[in-house]
Amino acid sequence: MTRDRRRTLATWLIAIVVGVLVGFGLNLLDVPSPTLFGGLVAGCVVALTLDNPPQVGRRTTRVSQAVIGTMIGATVTLPALQRLASGWFVAVVVTAATLALSIAGGFLLARLGKIGRLTGVLSMIAGGAGTLTSIARELGGDDRVVAVVQYVRVLLILVTLPAVVLLVFGEHTAAPSDVDTELWSSLGFTVLSVGVGALIGWAIPISTFFLLGPMAVSAALAISGWFGPVEVPGPIVAACFILLGLQVGLRFTRASLKSIAKLLPAAVVLIAVVVLGSALLGWVLAATTGVSALTAYLATTPGGLPAVLAIAADSHADATYVFAVQLARLLLVLLMAPLLSKILGREDLTEPDDSAETSSAR
């Protein structure tokens, strides 16, 4: 084994140990999805400590998303779908308002940060951080700025969610289900949902379908009752939560933060405004539809889809409702991104170098 390989393995071991310890501590506080936030903290520690930290591979990330999608789909029930159908109009209006709020924040970011309008909007638009980052340059925006600002938003949401859920809503980790589940049927359910759902994700060239595909398959199986009462085994969920947290945390290297240092204060303030505005829209959703305040807050939270859905499934929120509203916004984002590119126009971008500042021509 080479020296570099030993160093990489040691780094992963330290990250996993830190993630498990932080997750254990948060679990003692009854924080929902504690291992997810443990992985996030571990990833940030490693990224800020090393000059060139390792990254979680794409296949590993997709498998983790598929497992989380399966866990969420297992919570879907027919009554929840019926409640969603009765209040769909208000949910659509609130979703559109959330997007409008984030787009307005993007225009302000462009003006304050002296970057292109398209780059500003793509950086601030709520939902689909990974997808928008991957297609930003193709659309004509500065993918360097979009990537960092999008993941700053996701990081801020993930960091604040435990405190908000625990302190504002008084919500702890949901108690274990009283329904007995068989280990082998749950494993079969998990393998089938992940396998078939991953094939759907592979066939549809949109990265989020590695989460949505298994979610749809597991929801259909759960509603059908073919496997009886099922759930994804806890140790598998915990491992995937740690990996997803690591995947986000490892993006915040010293180099990535330094590249947008001048833009970062304005971005953080505007992200906070969008999050607070989305929370107010969540209050409107709760007041007009009758869903719980926690469900409405998670449904309108502007980003961090896997984490938001995981917390919904791990608490007393209506995970089906949260999933539907978040999915509606994600689909709107994917439809609007090319249109925004045409309206705002492509930007004349220069190739990045070691000293370049992340700005682009208007």
Side-chain angles (χ1 to χ4, degrees), residues 264-289:
L264 194 57
V268 170
V269 170
L270 289 172
I271 289 169
V273 170
V274 171
V275 171
L276 290 174
S278 299
L280 290 176
L281 290 170
W283 176 81
V284 172
L285 185 64
T288 54
T289 62

PDB file of all heavy atoms in Angstrom, residues 264-289:
ATOM      1  N   LEU A 264     -18.945  36.341  -0.260  1.00  0.00           N
ATOM      2  CA  LEU A 264     -19.564  35.500   0.766  1.00  0.00           C
ATOM      3  C   LEU A 264     -20.467  36.260   1.741  1.00  0.00           C
ATOM      4  O   LEU A 264     -21.580  35.794   2.026  1.00  0.00           O
ATOM      5  CB  LEU A 264     -18.473  34.739   1.522  1.00  0.00           C
ATOM      6  CG  LEU A 264     -18.938  33.580   2.403  1.00  0.00           C
ATOM      7  CD1 LEU A 264     -19.713  32.564   1.575  1.00  0.00           C
ATOM      8  CD2 LEU A 264     -17.738  32.912   3.064  1.00  0.00           C
ATOM      9  N   PRO A 265     -20.072  37.431   2.283  1.00  0.00           N
ATOM     10  CA  PRO A 265     -20.965  38.108   3.238  1.00  0.00           C
ATOM     11  C   PRO A 265     -22.332  38.432   2.649  1.00  0.00           C
ATOM     12  O   PRO A 265     -23.366  38.189   3.292  1.00  0.00           O
ATOM     13  CB  PRO A 265     -20.184  39.383   3.589  1.00  0.00           C
ATOM     14  CG  PRO A 265     -18.759  39.038   3.352  1.00  0.00           C
ATOM     15  CD  PRO A 265     -18.771  38.131   2.165  1.00  0.00           C
ATOM     16  N   ALA A 266     -22.347  38.984   1.439  1.00  0.00           N
ATOM     17  CA  ALA A 266     -23.629  39.305   0.803  1.00  0.00           C
ATOM     18  C   ALA A 266     -24.431  38.041   0.550  1.00  0.00           C
ATOM     19  O   ALA A 266     -25.658  38.014   0.741  1.00  0.00           O
ATOM     20  CB  ALA A 266     -23.392  40.054  -0.509  1.00  0.00           C
ATOM     21  N   ALA A 267     -23.755  36.969   0.130  1.00  0.00           N
ATOM     22  CA  ALA A 267     -24.453  35.712  -0.144  1.00  0.00           C
ATOM     23  C   ALA A 267     -25.093  35.149   1.112  1.00  0.00           C
ATOM     24  O   ALA A 267     -26.248  34.704   1.090  1.00  0.00           O
ATOM     25  CB  ALA A 267     -23.470  34.695  -0.748  1.00  0.00           C
ATOM     26  N   VAL A 268     -24.366  35.167   2.220  1.00  0.00           N
ATOM     27  CA  VAL A 268     -24.895  34.622   3.481  1.00  0.00           C
ATOM     28  C   VAL A 268     -26.113  35.418   3.935  1.00  0.00           C
ATOM     29  O   VAL A 268     -27.129  34.844   4.362  1.00  0.00           O
ATOM     30  CB  VAL A 268     -23.801  34.622   4.568  1.00  0.00           C
ATOM     31  CG1 VAL A 268     -24.392  34.284   5.925  1.00  0.00           C
ATOM     32  CG2 VAL A 268     -22.703  33.623   4.213  1.00  0.00           C
ATOM     33  N   VAL A 269     -26.036  36.751   3.857  1.00  0.00           N
ATOM     34  CA  VAL A 269     -27.161  37.591   4.283  1.00  0.00           C
ATOM     35  C   VAL A 269     -28.386  37.310   3.409  1.00  0.00           C
ATOM     36  O   VAL A 269     -29.507  37.143   3.915  1.00  0.00           O
ATOM     37  CB  VAL A 269     -26.780  39.078   4.207  1.00  0.00           C
ATOM     38  CG1 VAL A 269     -28.022  39.951   4.414  1.00  0.00           C
ATOM     39  CG2 VAL A 269     -25.726  39.412   5.265  1.00  0.00           C
ATOM     40  N   LEU A 270     -28.196  37.248   2.107  1.00  0.00           N
ATOM     41  CA  LEU A 270     -29.326  37.024   1.202  1.00  0.00           C
ATOM     42  C   LEU A 270     -29.899  35.620   1.376  1.00  0.00           C
ATOM     43  O   LEU A 270     -31.115  35.419   1.293  1.00  0.00           O
ATOM     44  CB  LEU A 270     -28.886  37.249  -0.242  1.00  0.00           C
ATOM     45  CG  LEU A 270     -28.620  38.707  -0.617  1.00  0.00           C
ATOM     46  CD1 LEU A 270     -27.999  38.821  -1.999  1.00  0.00           C
ATOM     47  CD2 LEU A 270     -29.917  39.524  -0.548  1.00  0.00           C
ATOM     48  N   ILE A 271     -29.037  34.638   1.620  1.00  0.00           N
ATOM     49  CA  ILE A 271     -29.522  33.280   1.872  1.00  0.00           C
ATOM     50  C   ILE A 271     -30.385  33.266   3.127  1.00  0.00           C
ATOM     51  O   ILE A 271     -31.459  32.646   3.163  1.00  0.00           O
ATOM     52  CB  ILE A 271     -28.342  32.297   2.014  1.00  0.00           C
ATOM     53  CG1 ILE A 271     -27.678  32.075   0.647  1.00  0.00           C
ATOM     54  CG2 ILE A 271     -28.810  30.960   2.587  1.00  0.00           C
ATOM     55  CD1 ILE A 271     -26.357  31.334   0.731  1.00  0.00           C
ATOM     56  N   ALA A 272     -29.942  33.982   4.166  1.00  0.00           N
ATOM     57  CA  ALA A 272     -30.721  34.054   5.407  1.00  0.00           C
ATOM     58  C   ALA A 272     -32.083  34.702   5.162  1.00  0.00           C
ATOM     59  O   ALA A 272     -33.108  34.251   5.696  1.00  0.00           O
ATOM     60  CB  ALA A 272     -29.943  34.837   6.466  1.00  0.00           C
ATOM     61  N   VAL A 273     -32.108  35.747   4.340  1.00  0.00           N
ATOM     62  CA  VAL A 273     -33.373  36.413   4.014  1.00  0.00           C
ATOM     63  C   VAL A 273     -34.305  35.453   3.285  1.00  0.00           C
ATOM     64  O   VAL A 273     -35.509  35.388   3.580  1.00  0.00           O
ATOM     65  CB  VAL A 273     -33.120  37.677   3.171  1.00  0.00           C
ATOM     66  CG1 VAL A 273     -34.430  38.235   2.623  1.00  0.00           C
ATOM     67  CG2 VAL A 273     -32.400  38.733   3.999  1.00  0.00           C
ATOM     68  N   VAL A 274     -33.759  34.701   2.319  1.00  0.00           N
ATOM     69  CA  VAL A 274     -34.581  33.746   1.567  1.00  0.00           C
ATOM     70  C   VAL A 274     -35.113  32.651   2.482  1.00  0.00           C
ATOM     71  O   VAL A 274     -36.279  32.247   2.379  1.00  0.00           O
ATOM     72  CB  VAL A 274     -33.768  33.140   0.405  1.00  0.00           C
ATOM     73  CG1 VAL A 274     -34.523  31.988  -0.245  1.00  0.00           C
ATOM     74  CG2 VAL A 274     -33.454  34.206  -0.639  1.00  0.00           C
ATOM     75  N   VAL A 275     -34.280  32.171   3.407  1.00  0.00           N
ATOM     76  CA  VAL A 275     -34.720  31.123   4.343  1.00  0.00           C
ATOM     77  C   VAL A 275     -35.839  31.642   5.235  1.00  0.00           C
ATOM     78  O   VAL A 275     -36.855  30.962   5.451  1.00  0.00           O
ATOM     79  CB  VAL A 275     -33.532  30.622   5.181  1.00  0.00           C
ATOM     80  CG1 VAL A 275     -34.016  29.708   6.300  1.00  0.00           C
ATOM     81  CG2 VAL A 275     -32.535  29.874   4.303  1.00  0.00           C
ATOM     82  N   LEU A 276     -35.682  32.858   5.763  1.00  0.00           N
ATOM     83  CA  LEU A 276     -36.721  33.434   6.615  1.00  0.00           C
ATOM     84  C   LEU A 276     -37.999  33.697   5.824  1.00  0.00           C
ATOM     85  O   LEU A 276     -39.116  33.452   6.316  1.00  0.00           O
ATOM     86  CB  LEU A 276     -36.217  34.734   7.246  1.00  0.00           C
ATOM     87  CG  LEU A 276     -35.125  34.580   8.309  1.00  0.00           C
ATOM     88  CD1 LEU A 276     -34.607  35.948   8.748  1.00  0.00           C
ATOM     89  CD2 LEU A 276     -35.644  33.801   9.511  1.00  0.00           C
ATOM     90  N   GLY A 277     -37.860  34.209   4.601  1.00  0.00           N
ATOM     91  CA  GLY A 277     -39.037  34.430   3.764  1.00  0.00           C
ATOM     92  C   GLY A 277     -39.755  33.136   3.446  1.00  0.00           C
ATOM     93  O   GLY A 277     -40.992  33.075   3.448  1.00  0.00           O
ATOM     94  N   SER A 278     -38.987  32.071   3.202  1.00  0.00           N
ATOM     95  CA  SER A 278     -39.582  30.767   2.934  1.00  0.00           C
ATOM     96  C   SER A 278     -40.311  30.243   4.167  1.00  0.00           C
ATOM     97  O   SER A 278     -41.363  29.596   4.052  1.00  0.00           O
ATOM     98  CB  SER A 278     -38.497  29.772   2.498  1.00  0.00           C
ATOM     99  OG  SER A 278     -37.863  30.202   1.307  1.00  0.00           O
ATOM    100  N   ALA A 279     -39.759  30.522   5.350  1.00  0.00           N
ATOM    101  CA  ALA A 279     -40.426  30.111   6.595  1.00  0.00           C
ATOM    102  C   ALA A 279     -41.774  30.814   6.744  1.00  0.00           C
ATOM    103  O   ALA A 279     -42.759  30.201   7.181  1.00  0.00           O
ATOM    104  CB  ALA A 279     -39.531  30.413   7.788  1.00  0.00           C
ATOM    105  N   LEU A 280     -41.837  32.094   6.378  1.00  0.00           N
ATOM    106  CA  LEU A 280     -43.108  32.816   6.421  1.00  0.00           C
ATOM    107  C   LEU A 280     -44.113  32.222   5.439  1.00  0.00           C
ATOM    108  O   LEU A 280     -45.304  32.105   5.740  1.00  0.00           O
ATOM    109  CB  LEU A 280     -42.877  34.294   6.105  1.00  0.00           C
ATOM    110  CG  LEU A 280     -42.141  35.106   7.174  1.00  0.00           C
ATOM    111  CD1 LEU A 280     -41.888  36.526   6.688  1.00  0.00           C
ATOM    112  CD2 LEU A 280     -42.941  35.125   8.476  1.00  0.00           C
ATOM    113  N   LEU A 281     -43.623  31.834   4.267  1.00  0.00           N
ATOM    114  CA  LEU A 281     -44.499  31.179   3.293  1.00  0.00           C
ATOM    115  C   LEU A 281     -44.970  29.821   3.833  1.00  0.00           C
ATOM    116  O   LEU A 281     -46.093  29.389   3.563  1.00  0.00           O
ATOM    117  CB  LEU A 281     -43.773  31.004   1.962  1.00  0.00           C
ATOM    118  CG  LEU A 281     -43.522  32.303   1.190  1.00  0.00           C
ATOM    119  CD1 LEU A 281     -42.582  32.051   0.004  1.00  0.00           C
ATOM    120  CD2 LEU A 281     -44.837  32.892   0.693  1.00  0.00           C
ATOM    121  N   GLY A 282     -44.104  29.158   4.609  1.00  0.00           N
ATOM    122  CA  GLY A 282     -44.509  27.914   5.245  1.00  0.00           C
ATOM    123  C   GLY A 282     -45.628  28.140   6.243  1.00  0.00           C
ATOM    124  O   GLY A 282     -46.558  27.325   6.356  1.00  0.00           O
ATOM    125  N   TRP A 283     -45.560  29.269   6.962  1.00  0.00           N
ATOM    126  CA  TRP A 283     -46.635  29.613   7.897  1.00  0.00           C
ATOM    127  C   TRP A 283     -47.952  29.812   7.141  1.00  0.00           C
ATOM    128  O   TRP A 283     -49.009  29.372   7.594  1.00  0.00           O
ATOM    129  CB  TRP A 283     -46.261  30.878   8.658  1.00  0.00           C
ATOM    130  CG  TRP A 283     -47.340  31.363   9.574  1.00  0.00           C
ATOM    131  CD1 TRP A 283     -47.637  30.905  10.823  1.00  0.00           C
ATOM    132  CD2 TRP A 283     -48.292  32.398   9.291  1.00  0.00           C
ATOM    133  NE1 TRP A 283     -48.702  31.589  11.342  1.00  0.00           N
ATOM    134  CE2 TRP A 283     -49.129  32.510  10.431  1.00  0.00           C
ATOM    135  CE3 TRP A 283     -48.509  33.244   8.196  1.00  0.00           C
ATOM    136  CZ2 TRP A 283     -50.166  33.433  10.489  1.00  0.00           C
ATOM    137  CZ3 TRP A 283     -49.545  34.161   8.258  1.00  0.00           C
ATOM    138  CH2 TRP A 283     -50.360  34.254   9.392  1.00  0.00           C
ATOM    139  N   VAL A 284     -47.890  30.478   5.990  1.00  0.00           N
ATOM    140  CA  VAL A 284     -49.088  30.653   5.158  1.00  0.00           C
ATOM    141  C   VAL A 284     -49.628  29.296   4.713  1.00  0.00           C
ATOM    142  O   VAL A 284     -50.846  29.050   4.750  1.00  0.00           O
ATOM    143  CB  VAL A 284     -48.767  31.527   3.925  1.00  0.00           C
ATOM    144  CG1 VAL A 284     -49.954  31.560   2.962  1.00  0.00           C
ATOM    145  CG2 VAL A 284     -48.390  32.934   4.352  1.00  0.00           C
ATOM    146  N   LEU A 285     -48.726  28.406   4.321  1.00  0.00           N
ATOM    147  CA  LEU A 285     -49.142  27.067   3.880  1.00  0.00           C
ATOM    148  C   LEU A 285     -49.827  26.311   5.004  1.00  0.00           C
ATOM    149  O   LEU A 285     -50.871  25.672   4.796  1.00  0.00           O
ATOM    150  CB  LEU A 285     -47.913  26.300   3.382  1.00  0.00           C
ATOM    151  CG  LEU A 285     -48.152  24.924   2.760  1.00  0.00           C
ATOM    152  CD1 LEU A 285     -48.979  25.047   1.491  1.00  0.00           C
ATOM    153  CD2 LEU A 285     -46.819  24.240   2.462  1.00  0.00           C
ATOM    154  N   ALA A 286     -49.259  26.389   6.210  1.00  0.00           N
ATOM    155  CA  ALA A 286     -49.856  25.690   7.354  1.00  0.00           C
ATOM    156  C   ALA A 286     -51.217  26.277   7.711  1.00  0.00           C
ATOM    157  O   ALA A 286     -52.168  25.549   8.021  1.00  0.00           O
ATOM    158  CB  ALA A 286     -48.915  25.756   8.555  1.00  0.00           C
ATOM    159  N   ALA A 287     -51.331  27.604   7.650  1.00  0.00           N
ATOM    160  CA  ALA A 287     -52.576  28.266   8.034  1.00  0.00           C
ATOM    161  C   ALA A 287     -53.712  28.005   7.056  1.00  0.00           C
ATOM    162  O   ALA A 287     -54.885  27.997   7.445  1.00  0.00           O
ATOM    163  CB  ALA A 287     -52.339  29.774   8.157  1.00  0.00           C
ATOM    164  N   THR A 288     -53.381  27.776   5.789  1.00  0.00           N
ATOM    165  CA  THR A 288     -54.423  27.624   4.762  1.00  0.00           C
ATOM    166  C   THR A 288     -54.736  26.180   4.397  1.00  0.00           C
ATOM    167  O   THR A 288     -55.767  25.908   3.786  1.00  0.00           O
ATOM    168  CB  THR A 288     -54.018  28.375   3.480  1.00  0.00           C
ATOM    169  OG1 THR A 288     -52.708  27.936   3.067  1.00  0.00           O
ATOM    170  CG2 THR A 288     -54.000  29.876   3.718  1.00  0.00           C
ATOM    171  N   THR A 289     -53.853  25.252   4.751  1.00  0.00           N
ATOM    172  CA  THR A 289     -54.085  23.853   4.368  1.00  0.00           C
ATOM    173  C   THR A 289     -54.345  22.940   5.556  1.00  0.00           C
ATOM    174  O   THR A 289     -54.855  21.833   5.377  1.00  0.00           O
ATOM    175  CB  THR A 289     -52.890  23.290   3.586  1.00  0.00           C
ATOM    176  OG1 THR A 289     -51.721  23.317   4.425  1.00  0.00           O
ATOM    177  CG2 THR A 289     -52.634  24.103   2.328  1.00  0.00           C
TER     178      THR A 289
END
